[in-house]
C-alpha cells in the first residue's frame, strides 16, 4: 500500500519569523550559557539542590524540604509562577491561563478554584508583572555556587560538542567579526571554552565581554568597561579600544557601539533568553537576533511521529465539524455536538501528553500560541535548536518566513497546491508504508 504522508519537519533546520539574508550579516555575537555551551541533565539537579539548601540555611525554611528531590520531567520552560499564591501555570499569548496546567506543588489545581481565584482565566499584564519574587535560584548564580561546581567537574556538567568550534571557525574563515557578551564570570567562561573549543578560543573572537549584567547592559549607559588580565585581576585603566584576545568586564552597549562601530542590521546576536538576550537589541538597537531553543529539536521529532500527525488531523477535523454543524439546534444534532466536544477535549489532553503530561508543548496551549512563543515571534528574527544548525546553511542564504494566512484571508494557491518545500524546512517529501 502506498501512503503519502505529510512532509516531515527537519529538526536541524533554522526557522524564521522575519526575512533575513546572511549575506547582509558582517558581525556575529553570542551569549555563552545554552548558546555556545550546553549542559547535562546534572546541572538542573545541582541548581535545585543548592537553592534548596539556601532556603533552609539562609531563609529559615524547614529542613524537611530536603526530602523533595528535583523532578526533571515535571516542568517546562516558559511557565509563569504566581509567587503570592504559590501557583505554577502555563499562559497563552492572550494572557489566558490554560486550565488544567495550574499546579500547587505537584498537585493540579481544579479549574473551578483557578477561575474563582483569578475571577476567570485571564491574567492582566500588570498582575503578571507582579508574579515573580526574589528566590534562591538567583543566589545560586550570584554567589558563584553553580560556577564553582561546574568548574570543579566540567566533564560532568558540560556537554562537549566540537560543532561549537566548527561554527565559529566557519564564520572566521569567511571574514566575519565575532563577539561574546555573557553574564558569566571570566574564569568560568575561559575554562568552558577551553574545554569546548581549545586553548586558542580567544583567537576566534574579536571582543569578549563577561559579567555584562544583561539586560541592564543594553540600557544602562553609566557602567564602564574594565579589562581582566591573565590572572583574572580587574584593571582600572580607562578603555579606549576593545582589543582582540582580551577579556572585558561589565560595560554597556552604548559604549560598546562607540568603541566598535558595530551597528544596526549588519549584526546578528544569538541567545537563549528571549527577554534578557534579545528583546532590547531588536526593539531599541535594530540588531538582527537569533534564538537558541534546545527543546525545538525534541518537539519536532514528536510532531513527525505518525501518531501525532493522525491525532492532530482528527482534532482539526473535529474542530471543523463543530464549527460548521453548530447551526443545527435539533436534539439529535445537539447530542452529537456534545459528544464531539467531549472527544475534542479528550484529544486535546492526549496532544498535551505527547510533550509533557503536566504542561504540554513549549509553543502551544490548546489552540493558541503560548506567551513564550509570542515573545519568540516578536523578538527573534530566526530560531533554531542549536548553533550547529548554522552549519547546514551557506552564509549567503536568505531566510523567508511563511506567509501564514490571517484569519480573514484564504489560503494562498501555494498552500493548497505545493508540497511545502518552499514554505517549511522539510525532512523528506514522502514515505512508503507497506
Amino acid at each position: 500500500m502506498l501512503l503519502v504522508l505529510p512532509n516531515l519537519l527537519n529538526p536541524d533546520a533554522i526557522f524564521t519569523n522575519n526575512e533575513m539574508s546572511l549575506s547582509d550579516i558582517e558581525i556575529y555575537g553570542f551569549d555563552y550559557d545554552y548558546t555556545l555551551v550546553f549542559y547535562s541533565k546534572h546541572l538542573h539537579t545541582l541548581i535545585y539542590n543548592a537553592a534548596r539548601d539556601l532556603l533552609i540555611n539562609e531563609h529559615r525554611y524547614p529542613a524537611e524540604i530536603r526530602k523533595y528531590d528535583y523532578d526533571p520531567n515535571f516542568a517546562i520552560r516558559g511557565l509563569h509562577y504566581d509567587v503570592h499564591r504559590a501557583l505554577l501555570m502555563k499562559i497563552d499569548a492572550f494572557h489566558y491561563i490554560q486550565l488544567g496546567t495550574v499546579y500547587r506543588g505537584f498537585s493540579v489545581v481544579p479549574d473551578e478554584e483557578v477561575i474563582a481565584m483569578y475571577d476567570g482565566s485571564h491574567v492582566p499584564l500588570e498582575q503578571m508583572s507582579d508574579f515573580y519574587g526574589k528566590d534562591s535560584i538567583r543566589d545560586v548564580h550570584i554567589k558563584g555556587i553553580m560556577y564553582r561546581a561546574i568548574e570543579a567537574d566540567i566533564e560532568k556538567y558540560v556537554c562537549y560538542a566540537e560543532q561549537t568550534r566548527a561554527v565559529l571557525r566557519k564564520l572566521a574563515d569567511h571574514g566575519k567579526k565575532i563577539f561574546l557578551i555573557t553574564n558569566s564570570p571570566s574564569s568560568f567562561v575561559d575554562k568552558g571554552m577551553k574545554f569546548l573549543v581549545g586553548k586558542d578560543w580567544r583567537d576566534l573572537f574579536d571582543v569578549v565581554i563577561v559579567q555584562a549584567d544583561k539586560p541592564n547592559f543594553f540600557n544602562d549607559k553609566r557602567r564602564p568597561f574594565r579589562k581582566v588580565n591573565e590572572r583574572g585581576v580587574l584593571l582600572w585603566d580607562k578603555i579606549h579600544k576593545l582589543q582582540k584576545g582580551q577579556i572585558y568586564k561589565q560595560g554597556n552597549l552604548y559604549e560598546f557601539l562607540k568603541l566598535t562601530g558595530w551597528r544596526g542590521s549588519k549584526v546578528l546576536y544569538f541567545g537563549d533568553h528571549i527577554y534578557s538576550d534579545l528583546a532590547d537589541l531588536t526593539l531599541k538597537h535594530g540588531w538582527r537576533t537569533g534564538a537558541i531553543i534546545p527543546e525545538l529539536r525534541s518537539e519536532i521529532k514528536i510532531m513527525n511521529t505518525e501518531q501525532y500527525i493522525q491525532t492532530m488531523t482528527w482534532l482539526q477535523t473535529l474542530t471543523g465539524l463543530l464549527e460548521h454543524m453548530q447551526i443545527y439546534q435539533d436534539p439529535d444534532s445537539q447530542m452529537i455536538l456534545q459528544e464531539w466536544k467531549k472527544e475534542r477535549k479528550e484529544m486535546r489532553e492526549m496532544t498535551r501528553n505527547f510533550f509533557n503530561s503536566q504542561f504540554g508543548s513549549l509553543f502551544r496551549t490548546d489552540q493558541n500560541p503560548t506567551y513564550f512563543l509570542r515573545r519568540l515571534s516578536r523578538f527573534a528574527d530566526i530560531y533554531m535548536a542549536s548553533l550547529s544548525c548554522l552549519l547546514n546553511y551557506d552564509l549567503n542564504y536568505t531566510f523567508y518566513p511563511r506567509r501564514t494566512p490571517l484569519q480573514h484571508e484564504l489560503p494562498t494557491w501555494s498552500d493548497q497546491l505545493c508540497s511545502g518545500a518552499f514554505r517549511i524546512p522539510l525532512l523528506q517529501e514522502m514515505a512508503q508504508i507497506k
Side-chain angles (χ1 to χ4, degrees):
M1 173 182 177
L2 177 64
L3 176 63
V4 179
L5 293 177
N7 289 295
L8 303 183
L9 287 166
N10 184 354
D12 294 316
I14 294 176
F15 302 88
T16 179
N17 295 315
N18 189 20
E19 184 174 325
M20 184 184 73
S21 176
L22 293 181
S23 63
D24 295 330
I25 306 300
E26 298 176 0
I27 304 130
Y28 286 78
F30 302 93
D31 182 30
Y32 177 68
D33 298 294
Y34 289 103
T35 301
L36 289 174
V37 59
F38 285 88
Y39 296 99
S40 71
K41 60 183 180 180
H42 302 293
L43 179 60
H44 287 164
T45 301
L46 165 69
I47 294 172
Y48 176 92
N49 291 341
R52 184 184 59 192
D53 291 343
L54 284 173
L55 288 173
I56 295 170
N57 298 331
E58 298 189 10
H59 299 283
R60 299 182 180 180
Y61 275 63
E64 286 76 13
I65 68 172
R66 279 203 175 94
K67 69 182 181 181
Y68 297 107
D69 295 322
Y70 174 69
D71 181 357
N73 300 314
F74 178 72
I76 61 172
R77 188 151 62 130
L79 300 177
H80 288 75
Y81 185 70
D82 186 342
V83 67
H84 303 291
R85 297 183 174 92
L87 297 178
L88 187 66
M89 68 189 72
K90 187 177 179 184
I91 294 179
D92 73 11
F94 301 96
H95 293 206
Y96 282 91
I97 300 168
Q98 183 178 7
L99 296 176
T101 70
V102 181
Y103 280 79
R104 183 180 289 112
F106 289 110
S107 301
V108 66
V109 180
D111 294 348
E112 297 78 11
E113 185 177 341
V114 173
I115 291 170
M117 281 189 288
Y118 292 96
D119 194 24
S121 60
H122 184 264
V123 182
L125 179 61
E126 59 271 17
Q127 189 174 348
M128 284 176 57
S129 301
D130 196 35
F131 266 15
Y132 308 99
K134 296 179 180 179
D135 60 42
S136 294
I137 298 293
R138 186 167 180 263
D139 285 345
V140 172
H141 294 76
I142 292 176
K143 295 177 182 291
I145 298 170
M146 183 192 79
Y147 301 126
R148 290 191 296 270
I150 293 175
E151 287 187 58
D153 197 352
I154 197 165
E155 293 186 359
K156 177 180 179 181
Y157 294 107
V158 173
C159 295
Y160 178 77
E162 62 182 16
Q163 289 179 317
T164 299
R165 181 180 180 88
V167 170
L168 296 173
R169 174 51 61 192
K170 177 179 179 178
L171 297 176
D173 289 346
H174 282 78
K176 307 298 183 181
K177 298 291 186 181
I178 305 174
F179 67 94
L180 171 65
I181 302 178
T182 176
N183 289 349
S184 295
S186 59
S187 62
F188 177 75
V189 173
D190 185 57
K191 190 162 187 176
M193 288 300 287
K194 285 178 178 176
F195 177 73
L196 286 171
V197 178
K199 293 182 179 180
D200 61 343
W201 71 271
R202 276 194 259 172
D203 294 341
L204 293 170
F205 287 86
D206 294 275
V207 177
V208 176
I209 300 168
V210 299
Q211 290 181 273
D213 190 29
K214 296 177 292 182
N216 293 331
F217 179 87
F218 302 128
N219 300 294
D220 189 344
K221 299 181 180 181
R222 297 168 297 177
R223 300 193 321 157
F225 284 109
R226 296 298 180 217
K227 185 177 178 180
V228 181
N229 69 13
E230 294 296 330
R231 294 175 295 171
V233 177
L234 191 63
L235 306 180
W236 292 92
D237 300 335
K238 182 175 176 62
I239 302 300
H240 298 282
K241 183 180 180 181
L242 297 176
Q243 298 176 322
K244 185 171 183 174
Q246 303 299 320
I247 295 180
Y248 299 90
K249 179 180 177 180
Q250 295 180 344
N252 65 83
L253 183 63
Y254 298 91
E255 189 70 12
F256 176 88
L257 298 176
K258 178 181 176 181
L259 294 173
T260 63
W262 297 344
R263 298 176 182 275
S265 58
K266 295 183 182 297
V267 183
L268 172 57
Y269 184 78
F270 292 93
D272 70 294
H273 197 289
I274 308 302
Y275 177 73
S276 295
D277 287 326
L278 308 182
D280 289 319
L281 291 177
T282 188
L283 292 177
K284 297 180 181 179
H285 302 287
W287 285 12
R288 309 311 294 264
T289 52
I292 305 300
I293 314 294
E295 299 90 344
L296 187 63
R297 184 173 281 117
S298 60
E299 290 218 6
I300 287 176
K301 289 179 178 178
I302 291 171
M303 291 189 292
N304 281 342
T305 62
E306 184 178 354
Q307 185 180 11
Y308 178 84
I309 292 170
Q310 291 177 345
T311 301
M312 286 305 301
T313 300
W314 180 235
L315 181 57
Q316 291 298 94
T317 301
L318 269 178
T319 303
L321 287 169
L322 285 168
E323 181 180 8
H324 289 94
M325 300 300 290
Q326 61 184 318
I327 60 173
Y328 298 101
Q329 299 298 317
D330 60 277
D332 290 342
S333 297
Q334 287 298 307
M335 183 177 67
I336 293 174
L337 286 169
Q338 292 305 315
E339 291 176 355
W340 283 348
K341 287 180 180 179
K342 180 181 178 182
E343 183 176 0
R344 182 171 181 254
K345 182 178 180 181
E346 292 172 351
M347 294 198 71
R348 280 180 162 184
E349 293 176 359
M350 184 188 305
T351 303
R352 183 175 69 192
N353 291 338
F354 280 124
F355 302 98
N356 175 283
S357 56
Q358 288 75 234
F359 302 101
S361 168
L362 171 63
F363 304 100
R364 279 201 179 274
T365 55
D366 287 324
Q367 72 281 348
N368 292 334
T370 58
Y371 186 82
F372 175 88
L373 181 59
R374 189 186 79 169
R375 293 168 76 90
L376 174 66
S377 301
R378 185 181 183 192
F379 300 136
D381 292 295
I382 57 176
Y383 62 100
M384 66 207 75
S386 72
L387 283 177
S388 63
C389 298
L390 276 172
L391 297 174
N392 302 323
Y393 295 85
D394 183 88
L395 292 184
N396 290 314
Y397 189 88
T398 299
F399 296 100
Y400 296 99
R402 283 183 287 156
R403 181 182 172 88
T404 305
L406 302 176
Q407 294 297 314
H408 63 274
E409 293 180 326
L410 290 172
T412 61
W413 70 270
S414 58
D415 289 316
Q416 295 172 328
L417 301 178
C418 290
S419 65
F422 296 101
R423 299 180 292 110
I424 314 174
L426 301 172
L427 187 62
Q428 60 188 32
E429 292 299 323
M430 67 169 57
Q432 286 187 345
I433 299 177
K434 296 181 179 179

